[in-house]
Amino acid sequence: MTSDVQWLPYLAYVFMVLIGIGVLVDRKRTLGQMMTIVTFGFYLAVVGYLTLTPTSYAFGSVPTMKPFWVGNAPTNPIPFRGIEMDFYLNILMMVPMGIYLKLLSKANFRQIVGLGFLIGIGIESTQFLLDSFLQLSRWVDINDVITNAGGVIVGYVIILFLQHSPLKRIVSYFSLKQLT
């Protein structure tokens, strides 16, 4: 059973995303750049909903792996243990993040790899804190850190490939040349 208090972190997160969008659109931008910024905001709101709310989803078979409990947080600290459909869906969920990071910044491949792992660690750490204080019952899983980073890398590589293809003008249309 969920309480209204469990939704407060997500609402605060959405508020911060809206502020970030406001900062990014405060400059003169092309239509393509504005579309990138606004869709990135929607994407972040969806990722936040999927990762920071007291909701749960079961894709494929019902997970049978027993968690390691750390306080109120169900955890899986062992990589590649209990791989289910959500392992692959986490990769898919983070592919747009890699695309957006390339469109919004000048980060190189090494930085993207680091950002991918930092994003995964950030999500899982936040879930751990929310489990500890609000009993959100979200799994804190090392596999999610790995798959989040993997998805970011895949998205980044897709844009790199498209930048060197006949579609490079379309990629350029949606890219922010500078964030300053």
Side-chain angles (χ1 to χ4, degrees), residues 12-13 15 23 44 52 59 68 95 117 125 143 149 158-159 180:
Y13 168 80
F15 182 70
V23 168
L44 289 176
L52 304 175
F59 300 102
F68 295 98
V95 167
F117 279 104
S125 297
N143 290 330
I158 288 170
I159 287 295
T180 59

Side-chain angles (χ1 to χ4, degrees), residues 20-21 27-28 77 126 141 178:
I21 290 172
R27 306 182 66 110
K28 186 174 180 171
T126 303
D141 192 342
Q178 297 176 4

Side-chain angles (χ1 to χ4, degrees), residues 27-149:
R27 306 182 66 110
K28 186 174 180 171
R29 305 279 186 197
T30 66
L31 178 62
Q33 292 171 334
M34 292 294 281
M35 289 173 61
T36 298
I37 293 166
V38 171
T39 58
F40 183 54
F42 282 116
Y43 167 74
L44 289 176
V46 169
V47 169
Y49 179 79
L50 293 172
T51 60
L52 304 175
T53 61
T55 57
S56 64
Y57 306 95
F59 300 102
S61 62
V62 176
T64 57
M65 181 177 60
K66 292 184 180 181
F68 295 98
W69 288 91
V70 179
N72 294 323
T75 68
N76 173 30
I78 302 170
F80 307 108
R81 174 179 171 250
I83 293 177
E84 299 286 338
M85 178 64 85
D86 61 344
F87 181 90
Y88 304 101
L89 293 175
N90 265 342
I91 294 171
L92 186 61
M93 175 182 75
M94 296 309 285
V95 167
M97 180 67 76
I99 292 170
Y100 282 118
L101 288 175
K102 181 64 178 157
L103 292 175
L104 294 169
S105 72
K106 294 182 179 186
N108 62 36
F109 183 77
R110 188 172 165 188
Q111 292 168 326
I112 290 295
V113 170
L115 281 170
F117 279 104
L118 282 175
I119 289 167
I121 290 167
I123 291 171
E124 295 306 304
S125 297
T126 303
Q127 288 178 337
F128 179 79
L129 290 172
L130 294 175
D131 281 346
S132 297
F133 294 107
L134 298 176
Q135 289 76 42
L136 218 56
S137 297
R138 301 303 303 246
W139 275 74
V140 179
D141 192 342
I142 188 64
N143 290 330
D144 292 350
V145 174
I146 295 166
T147 57
N148 290 344

Side-chain angles (χ1 to χ4, degrees), residues 159-178:
I159 287 295
L160 279 180
F161 173 76
L162 292 175
Q163 282 182 325
H164 297 91
S165 76
L167 301 174
K168 64 184 172 190
R169 290 179 71 186
I170 294 171
V171 173
S172 178
Y173 178 74
F174 290 102
S175 179
L176 277 68
K177 301 298 181 208
Q178 297 176 4

